[in-house]
Amino acid sequence: MSNFKTNCHTHTDYCDGKNTAREMIDSAVEKGFSVLGFSGHSPMNFPNEWAMTHEKLEKYFGEIASLKREYAGKIGILCGIELDSDYELNKEYDFDYVLASVHQIHGKNKIYAIDNTAEELSECVKEEYDSDWNRMAAEYFEKLARFVIKENADVVGHFDLITKFNKNGCLFDENDPEYRENALKWLDYIIDKKPDAVFEVNTGAMYRCGNDTPYPASFILKRIGERGARVTVTSDAHCTQALDFEFVRAKEYCKKCGVNSIWHLTKEGFSEEKL
Ligand SMILES: [Zn+2]
Ligand SMILES: [Zn+2]
């Protein structure tokens, strides 16, 4: 199948999204989606304001299952989870897919969010890594790669999330050979161990921070293309307006980086769209 519209990275008000699951689905139908996959933030083992609690996770799983039946024939609904590395997956739930992400760095006495503010991430690098951004990045990429393989995750969430606030290299130099070597080393690690892993081309920070391009950076996406690994375009939507934000540009970006197919998550598994 080609030219169909899907998104497997969707949040709702069960976690830090603004809209209900039903509102997200109605908007997706309106926008011509054929499949919408939900990926609520998994519960965390520390207090926070963005992830689902265990109670909410149960309700989330139940509601998405009933919406799946209700909307059958109109749009395919999938119930996935954005599994955070600070959570043990509860095997009681039979999720359609797992999207694995790392959002925190554990310091000596403090847990830092990677994607909250530039100040928080900068403080982390200063306090925990002697201001060595490459060392922080190396640890981040390793943690993500090992986590993806350990959980056998279907989708790799925002591979270089640590660049979220690094517009024009204002925090660190993404051209630094050491940085690039580390990013590619752990990218290759994932592809070597799990050749069918699907990497997100994620437009979330384009919507929320006005970033020019999706995750990941072009040098990473080029390597994904060279290795013949898979990508999927996602919006990491937290509201209805963001559902298909910059999908056209994201596909052009893929092509420019030598990625010639997009993989769509459907009820039957991943399905290829040639670009
Ligand atoms: Zn995320
Ligand atoms: Zn997300």
Side-chain angles (χ1 to χ4, degrees):
M1 210 191 287
S2 69
N3 271 335
F4 67 141
K5 207 164 167 183
T6 68
N7 180 45
C8 68
H9 197 153
T10 313
H11 295 282
T12 66
D13 59 0
Y14 280 109
C15 52
D16 57 350
K18 289 186 181 63
N19 293 97
T20 63
R22 184 181 292 279
E23 285 165 352
M24 294 303 267
I25 296 173
D26 285 338
S27 174
V29 170
E30 215 170 274
K31 292 179 199 299
F33 277 76
S34 51
V35 178
L36 185 66
F38 287 97
S39 57
H41 285 293
S42 64
M44 304 282 182
N45 50 19
F46 60 90
N48 72 84
E49 281 158 23
W50 62 88
M52 292 188 279
T53 57
H54 287 278
E55 295 72 41
K56 281 200 175 161
L57 174 60
E58 196 181 332
K59 286 191 182 142
Y60 163 84
F61 192 75
E63 190 189 355
I64 306 295
S66 91
L67 288 167
K68 227 184 237 191
R69 291 189 292 273
E70 184 183 331
Y71 281 82
K74 262 189 170 170
I75 182 170
I77 302 298
L78 298 173
C79 186
I81 190 155
E82 182 170 12
L83 186 66
D84 190 278
S85 52
D86 284 323
Y87 179 67
E88 275 298 302
L89 182 59
N90 188 341
K91 306 283 182 196
E92 276 170 39
Y93 297 103
D94 185 18
F95 291 109
D96 291 319
Y97 64 96
V98 170
L99 188 158
S101 299
V102 171
H103 299 103
Q104 286 86 228
I105 291 171
H106 288 253
K108 289 181 281 291
N109 305 303
K110 193 175 163 183
I111 297 171
Y112 300 86
I114 291 168
D115 57 347
N116 186 27
T117 62
E119 290 70 30
E120 187 169 347
L121 184 56
S122 299
E123 186 202 328
C124 170
V125 176
K126 185 167 168 245
E127 298 298 325
E128 310 290 338
Y129 297 94
D130 272 333
S131 299
D132 185 343
W133 284 81
N134 284 338
R135 197 150 62 81
M136 179 280 291
E139 276 186 27
Y140 163 81
F141 287 124
E142 176 173 1
K143 185 174 172 186
L144 175 63
R146 292 193 187 280
F147 178 55
V148 166
I149 298 307
K150 179 177 143 256
E151 295 294 344
N152 193 26
D154 304 282
V155 185
V156 184
H158 34 62
F159 185 78
D160 55 353
L161 182 66
I162 50 175
T163 64
K164 180 172 180 178
F165 305 113
N166 194 33
K167 236 182 252 180
N168 302 316
C170 62
L171 296 175
F172 65 100
D173 182 10
E174 291 175 49
N175 296 314
D176 185 320
E178 190 186 333
Y179 172 78
R180 292 192 166 206
E181 198 182 299
N182 283 319
L184 296 177
K185 171 181 162 187
W186 292 106
L187 179 80
D188 283 338
Y189 176 89
I190 295 174
I191 299 171
D192 289 343
K193 300 228 179 235
K194 189 174 164 60
D196 65 347
V198 177
F199 294 86
E200 276 194 299
V201 173
N202 175 319
T203 65
M206 297 176 83
Y207 185 81
R208 283 181 284 172
C209 306
N211 290 5
D212 295 330
T213 50
Y215 305 110
S218 56
F219 80 93
I220 296 168
L221 193 51
K222 279 178 189 156
R223 175 67 69 94
I224 292 173
E226 282 161 17
R227 299 271 334 243
R230 297 174 170 190
V231 307
T232 190
V233 172
T234 74
S235 57
D236 201 344
H238 287 69
C239 62
T240 56
Q241 295 89 328
L243 267 171
D244 57 356
F245 189 73
E246 295 288 22
F247 273 14
V248 174
R249 258 175 75 194
K251 285 185 185 181
E252 283 165 7
Y253 179 64
C254 287
K255 260 169 117 170
K256 229 175 63 189
C257 292
V259 171
N260 298 314
S261 306
I262 302 289
W263 292 82
H264 293 270
L265 192 45
T266 71
K267 279 185 198 163
E268 293 78 36
F270 280 95
S271 177
E272 185 176 14
E273 175 191 355
K274 296 265 186 208
L275 293 178

